[in-house]
Amino acid sequence: MRAPQLQGPGVLKRRYVRRAPGAALEAVSEGGSPTAPVARGARMGGGLLASSRLVPLFVGLLICCQLALLVEAIAPLRVAVRVLAFGVSLVLLALVRGRSLKHPALPFILAALGITALQLFNPGTGAPLAALAQLGIQLAIAAPLLWVTRLAIDPKTFRRTLALLFFFNAASAGVGVLQVYFPGRFQPALSAAVQGQGEGYVSSLQFETSDGVRVFRPMGLTDIPGGASTGGFYAVLLGGGFLLSSRRGLTRVLSVGGILVGLFGIYLSQVRATAVMLVVCLVALAAVLLVSGRVGRFLALLAVMGTAGVATFGWAVAVGGDAVLSRWSTLFAASPDEVYHNNRGYFLTGTFADVLPEYPLGAGLGRYGMTNAYFGDNSDRERPPLWAEIQWTAWVYDGGILGVLFYPLGVLMSLLWAFQVARSRDGPEDEFWLWGSVLFAYNLGAFALTFSYPFFMSQTGMEFWLLNAALFGALAHAKTVHPHRR
């Protein structure tokens, strides 16, 4: 009988990796070439479609699409530019080969998409093109859960993706600051959708600075007044992550700079929902650090965010004047539940008291949002356009009772998984626990934001699933490589 061949690290100059959880060990030579076919997106000869570089490249595409909307010459192609990012996500879903990893949220999101697809047969479904466009957009938003996890993402690629998002959003908040300091000089053309709301609405998006100049709420690198607040949110949250994870002086300086500019941009933008979401995220991040016993990181976060928050608010009031002070003081004019009810809460109440009883099985597709505006047929009196001010209303329209069950469960599962990563002690070199803490905070804030606007019907929803899938894939990939070769 033939004796078994000795194998293992250090023997025959091979190391062994497991390319996917539960897969068999695979021999890899000292030079890094596999001696057996490679599973998932790491297989040889796949080119760019098998490379983890697709993730930061896709984020770059999202950024380019956003910047393209600021070019007046592209205005006639606005619809195509908006659809491009969603279309590319669907193309990658079809072209990226391999086996997707099963993110804990995936079964619930697929169930929600299946329920939405059944709405094509709902008698309330509007124009066929609008219905297909809405279904395609929702599939594109969730698609990163499938195609991103087919790629072998390493921690460096994950950090590069986050850095790209951080720098773009910090730049957006910074441009917003310049738009207030130099009125009209750095400001893009106002969105046609905003202009179409009428002069009174447009005027409400302006405020008078301490110098007596009337300006729009800073747009940043968007064409919507107040858009700089979104850049500020990402700049503060991701800046906090880089500040706590990096040991390089330059990275820490850039992180603090992004936090300062981001907070200042949020204050000047006067978008209270974004500020509340950021507070929820930072409290969640601090709580996870404290519960996990990372007291030093907790104190560092508390010191930086507390000092920056107070300093930038004083700075914003000095620049924006009474308009900024009075706007933010409304958050403390009454109890939190009263403030929410007077601003967005009645939409939530109306969703469960009126909309859900009227559409328990869904209202059909293509009757609300941008898909209805671009592709809908609003001359049909039997299927009039609907309005969804918050995500929960949109979930009712798209699936009725089951719609408000499965998709929120998927979001909650992603929140629970991120919390588990944040509490773990695995992989201290790559500090997955820290980015798990940041992602947990972000996921909690995103869930809170579903009570303020349709978060998962926009590009921000696609970024949500992209970040969750990227961290899930990076952590799974790190666990497949033998510790002595990490």
Side-chain angles (χ1 to χ4, degrees):
M1 182 176 180
R2 184 179 178 182
Q5 183 182 2
L6 292 176
Q7 297 182 351
V11 180
L12 302 179
K13 296 185 177 181
R14 291 181 179 179
R15 63 188 175 98
Y16 290 81
V17 300
R18 182 176 284 108
R19 299 292 182 181
L25 287 174
E26 176 184 324
V28 179
S29 68
E30 188 68 23
S33 8
T35 59
V38 181
R40 289 175 55 219
R43 62 188 181 282
M44 297 186 64
L48 182 61
L49 290 176
S51 171
S52 62
R53 289 178 298 169
L54 269 181
V55 178
L57 286 175
F58 182 74
V59 171
L61 173 67
L62 298 181
I63 292 173
C64 290
C65 289
Q66 179 62 51
L67 295 176
L69 295 176
L70 307 181
V71 181
E72 293 188 34
I74 302 181
L77 302 175
R78 186 179 183 84
V79 177
V81 173
R82 281 193 174 276
V83 172
L84 178 61
F86 299 103
V88 171
S89 181
L90 292 176
V91 169
L92 292 176
L93 177 62
L95 295 184
V96 175
R97 300 298 181 185
R99 181 170 58 87
S100 301
L101 297 180
K102 189 177 180 180
H103 189 281
L106 184 60
F108 300 97
I109 300 305
L110 290 180
L113 290 175
I115 293 167
T116 301
L118 291 177
Q119 292 295 306
L120 290 171
F121 305 100
N122 190 314
T125 293
L129 183 58
L132 291 174
Q134 184 172 337
L135 181 60
I137 287 176
Q138 293 199 26
L139 177 59
I141 288 172
L145 276 175
L146 295 170
W147 67 262
V148 169
T149 58
R150 295 172 187 168
L151 305 170
I153 302 175
D154 54 60
K156 184 179 295 184
T157 300
F158 180 71
R159 286 179 64 90
R160 189 179 296 124
T161 302
L162 294 178
L164 192 58
L165 283 171
F166 169 72
F167 283 119
F168 170 72
N169 286 285
S172 181
V175 170
V177 173
L178 294 177
Q179 289 165 355
V180 176
Y181 268 98
F182 305 97
R185 189 176 302 180
F186 297 95
Q187 185 173 302
L190 190 63
S191 167
V194 174
Q195 294 182 34
Q197 298 295 319
E199 185 177 346
Y201 179 75
V202 172
S203 178
S204 69
L205 299 177
Q206 298 174 325
F207 69 97
E208 189 175 300
T209 67
S210 58
D211 295 332
V213 180
R214 194 162 183 82
V215 298
F216 279 107
R217 296 179 188 176
M219 303 182 190
L221 295 176
T222 74
D223 57 358
I224 300 175
S229 64
T230 301
F233 166 78
Y234 279 105
V236 174
L237 186 61
L238 296 179
F242 281 111
L243 177 66
L244 296 178
S245 65
S246 178
R247 297 180 178 86
R248 297 181 180 180
L250 178 60
T251 302
R252 291 183 174 181
V253 170
L254 292 174
S255 301
V256 172
I259 291 171
L260 292 172
V261 171
L263 287 171
F264 188 56
I266 291 175
Y267 287 139
L268 288 179
S269 299
Q270 304 174 44
V271 181
R272 294 170 297 182
T274 302
V276 171
M277 177 181 176
L278 180 60
V279 170
V280 170
C281 290
L282 294 178
V283 170
L285 176 57
V288 170
L289 293 176
L290 194 59
V291 170
S292 303
R294 280 110 181 185
V295 180
R297 310 273 182 133
F298 166 77
L299 293 175
L301 180 71
L302 186 64
V304 172
M305 293 299 179
T307 303
V310 173
T312 52
F313 182 73
W315 182 17
V317 171
V319 174
D322 293 338
V324 172
L325 182 60
S326 60
R327 175 71 173 175
W328 290 109
S329 64
T330 59
L331 286 175
F332 307 99
S335 61
D337 59 326
E338 291 180 3
V339 172
Y340 173 71
H341 179 76
N342 293 333
N343 289 274
R344 284 290 187 269
Y346 55 88
F347 290 116
L348 182 65
T349 303
T351 295
F352 288 96
D354 302 321
V355 180
L356 187 58
E358 184 176 359
Y359 302 110
L361 300 179
L365 299 178
R367 295 179 57 184
Y368 73 92
M370 297 309 296
T371 53
N372 176 264
Y374 288 139
F375 309 109
D377 178 15
N378 294 330
S379 63
D380 188 350
R381 295 184 179 181
E382 294 184 1
R383 302 173 184 84
L386 301 173
W387 185 260
E389 188 73 20
I390 63 174
Q391 181 62 59
W392 291 84
T393 309
W395 280 331
V396 171
Y397 290 153
D398 294 337
I401 297 174
L402 296 179
V404 294
L405 175 64
F406 284 108
Y407 212 109
L409 280 176
V411 178
L412 290 176
M413 289 303 296
S414 68
L415 184 67
L416 178 61
W417 175 80
F419 181 74
Q420 292 173 344
V421 175
R423 291 292 309 277
S424 70
R425 295 281 179 175
D426 297 336
E429 295 179 0
D430 300 323
E431 293 189 326
F432 281 108
W433 67 265
L434 177 58
W435 290 114
S437 302
V438 173
L439 192 65
F440 168 76
Y442 169 69
N443 289 355
L444 183 60
F447 183 73
L449 208 54
T450 62
F451 295 90
S452 294
Y453 85 98
F455 185 88
F456 289 100
M457 285 302 299
S458 64
Q459 186 172 300
T460 55
M462 186 158 53
E463 291 172 356
F464 175 93
W465 293 122
L466 180 80
L467 292 178
N468 276 272
L471 182 60
F472 187 80
L475 182 59
H477 175 71
K479 289 181 177 180
T480 60
V481 181
H482 197 281
H484 87 288
R485 298 296 300 179
R486 288 179 187 170

